[in-house]
Amino acid sequence: MAKITLDNLAHSYYPKPKGEDDFALKELNHVWADGEAYALLGSSGCGKSTLLNIISGLLHPSQGRILFDDVDVTHATTADRNIAQVFQFPVVYDTMTVRDNLAFPLKNRGASAQYIAQRVQQIGAMIGMEAELDKRARGLTADAKQKISLGRGMVREDVNALLFDEPLTVIDPHMKWELRTQLKSLHHEFGHTMIYVTHDQTEALTFADKVVVMYDGRVVQIGTPQQLFEKPEHTFVGYFIGSPGMNVIPASVTGKTATVHGSAIELQRGYSGLDGKVEIGVRPEFVSLTEGEGLPVRIRRVEDVGRHKIVRAELFGNEINIVAGEGTAISPDMNKITFDTSHVNVYVNDWLIEGEAA
Ligand code: ADP
Ligand code: MG
C-alpha cells in the first residue's frame, strides 16, 4: 500500500498544447492518503480515466511527477508500480477457466499453489461465482466476465493500490449493490489505497471515505460526502451532488446581505469587494415554503418521492427547487420562501467565497 503524490501534474493529448483548453487534465497537486478509499466523480469526458491511467502508468503525463511513498514512479511501468486496475469492460482470457483467470495474477507473482487455491476460492465467493470456477470464460455473459475482471483486480493482497474505472457499468443493478458492498468490505479488511472512478453520485457517496469531484479537467473539490453536501466549493459540485442539486441564484452581495431582485437575504458571514459573477447557492433542503414573509415564488409542480416532497417553483423567472418534509401540507397560499441562513453559500465566478465572521 502506498501514499500517492501528484506533483504539478497535467496532461494534454496534443503534442504541442497551446493553452489550458488543450489540457485534458489541468495542473493538479494532491496527496492521496495511504489506505484511503477515494471515489473520482464527474461527468463523462471530464478527465477521470486520464487521471487514473496516469496513476497506473498506462499514460505518461505531459507535465509533473507521481510519487508512491516518496519514490518517483513517473517513468515506471504499470507492473513496477504494483497496481491492480479494473476497467469498464471485461478483460478476461476466454480459453481459461474462471479459476485460472482468477489465479493468473498470483501465479505471475509466484505465489504457492496452496495459497492460490485458498485465495481463489475466497475471491470466487466474493464475486458470487463459486459454482462456476471450473467453467471456461468463453461461454459466460458480459456480466459474469466483468465479475471475473473484478475478482482478478482484488485477488492480490500486496498491491500498492487498487484502481477501478467505472467497473460496474455492465453489471445488473442488484449485483452492482452487492459488488460495491464487497469492495467496501475488502477495503475494510485489507486497507488498500483504492480509487474508484464513477459518474454516479450514489456510487461515489456510498463507496468512498473521500470523494474527488472533477469538472472540465480540473479537480474542483475533495471532501467527505458531508463536506460536499454542506459546503460545495464550486457551483458544479452543488449541481452535481444532491437530488435535486443546489439552487444557484444570481445576486449582489454586500456585507451580510445578498440582494435578489430587490429582496434582501440575510447571510451568516460578511463579504466585501466581490468582483465578477456573484451568485448565492442554497440546497433545496434549506429552502422553506411559507405563507408569511419571504421571496415570492410560484409553485409549478409538487413531486412526492416518498421520504419527502420536491417542490418545483419559479423565483423571478428562474427555476428553484424546495424539499419539503413528507408531512408538510403544501397550500396555494404558500407563495413565499425563506432560506436557512447558515446554509446560504456565496460564489464568485463559480467558486465558493468564505466571507468573514462578523
Ligand atoms: P472521463 O473518463 O472522465 O470520461 P477521459 O479522461 O476519458 O474522461 O477524457 C478526458 C478528455 O480527453 C476528453 O475530452 C476526451 O475526449 C479526451 N481524450 C481521452 N482520451 C484521449 C486520447 N487517447 N486522445 C485524445 N483525446 C483523448
Ligand atoms: Mg472514463
Side-chain angles (χ1 to χ4, degrees):
M1 283 159 275
K3 171 181 88 178
I4 301 171
T5 305
L6 309 179
D7 173 28
N8 213 16
L9 200 71
H11 188 70
S12 174
Y13 287 101
Y14 299 101
K16 287 200 179 82
K18 286 188 191 70
E20 212 175 42
D21 283 353
D22 286 351
F23 280 81
L25 189 66
K26 270 96 173 162
E27 200 175 293
L28 172 66
N29 286 285
H30 184 242
V31 177
W32 306 65
D34 188 4
E36 199 133 44
Y38 292 93
L40 197 50
L41 175 68
S43 18
S44 174
C46 72
K48 303 181 297 295
S49 296
T50 301
L51 178 54
L52 204 70
N53 292 340
I54 287 174
I55 293 174
S56 69
L58 289 176
L59 194 62
H60 290 280
S62 1
Q63 177 196 309
R65 299 188 308 156
I66 304 135
L67 305 146
F68 282 10
D69 284 338
D70 305 319
V71 178
D72 188 336
V73 298
T74 315
H75 302 288
T77 63
T78 303
D80 287 342
R81 292 184 197 198
N82 198 15
I83 264 184
Q85 185 168 6
V86 179
F87 301 90
Q88 196 166 358
F89 298 104
V91 183
V92 295
Y93 301 103
D94 265 343
T95 56
M96 287 189 193
T97 61
V98 176
R99 186 188 303 281
D100 288 341
N101 265 289
L102 293 177
F104 195 79
L106 298 176
K107 279 191 183 145
N108 247 353
R109 296 261 165 173
S112 76
Q114 190 195 352
Y115 173 76
I116 293 176
Q118 170 254 319
R119 182 71 180 156
V120 165
Q121 201 66 37
Q122 194 181 3
I123 294 292
M126 284 183 83
I127 59 171
M129 293 190 74
E130 268 174 309
E132 288 145 298
L133 284 175
D134 293 311
K135 283 194 183 152
R136 283 196 195 287
R138 191 185 351 248
L140 299 173
T141 60
D143 187 283
K145 286 184 185 177
Q146 183 63 357
K147 284 195 267 175
I148 303 173
S149 296
L150 266 170
R152 270 228 316 259
M154 302 190 289
V155 76
R156 285 180 51 213
E157 297 171 57
D158 61 344
V159 289
N160 276 325
L162 271 165
L163 311 183
F164 300 95
D165 195 347
E166 314 217 23
L168 304 183
T169 310
V170 297
I171 304 277
D172 79 63
H174 172 72
M175 197 64 200
K176 253 187 195 159
W177 185 85
E178 175 75 32
L179 287 171
R180 208 160 60 224
T181 309
Q182 296 284 11
L183 285 177
K184 226 178 153 161
S185 68
L186 183 85
H187 180 254
H188 283 290
E189 195 176 342
F190 296 110
H192 289 116
T193 308
M194 283 193 185
I195 306 176
Y196 186 100
V197 169
T198 177
H199 62 267
D200 177 338
Q201 58 160 316
T202 311
E203 237 176 80
L205 299 174
T206 53
F207 170 77
D209 308 323
K210 289 247 176 76
V211 180
V212 179
V213 185
M214 288 187 73
Y215 173 65
D216 192 22
R218 227 182 278 279
V219 170
V220 286
Q221 186 167 4
I222 301 172
T224 60
Q226 191 186 351
Q227 287 164 341
L228 299 179
F229 184 79
E230 291 193 346
K231 278 229 168 297
E233 280 171 19
H234 189 277
T235 53
F236 176 77
V237 178
Y239 292 129
F240 199 66
I241 291 173
S243 165
M246 184 172 74
N247 297 298
V248 178
I249 306 159
S252 62
V253 172
T254 18
K256 289 181 73 182
T257 310
T259 309
V260 174
H261 282 259
S263 299
I265 296 151
E266 191 194 336
L267 303 170
Q268 205 169 42
R269 297 170 77 90
Y271 302 81
S272 60
L274 301 187
D275 195 16
K277 180 181 64 168
V278 179
E279 290 161 314
I280 56 169
V282 195
R283 290 212 175 265
E285 290 80 355
F286 303 121
V287 183
S288 306
L289 271 171
T290 168
E291 295 178 15
E293 295 284 294
L295 276 74
V297 289
R298 199 139 49 127
I299 296 177
R300 289 274 178 227
R301 201 166 71 239
V302 179
E303 295 165 19
D304 197 335
V305 293
R307 266 175 306 165
H308 55 251
K309 289 172 185 162
I310 298 170
V311 182
R312 311 272 183 190
E314 201 180 283
L315 171 74
F316 302 115
N318 295 313
E319 182 178 81
I320 184 156
N321 297 313
I322 303 148
V323 166
E326 193 187 5
T328 316
I330 294 166
S331 83
D333 295 333
M334 294 179 144
N335 55 8
K336 298 279 169 48
I337 51 166
T338 58
F339 299 146
D340 175 345
T341 304
S342 60
H343 287 100
V344 179
N345 297 318
V346 174
Y347 296 88
V348 172
N349 297 334
D350 292 312
W351 293 95
L352 179 72
I353 303 292
E354 276 295 347
E356 279 146 40

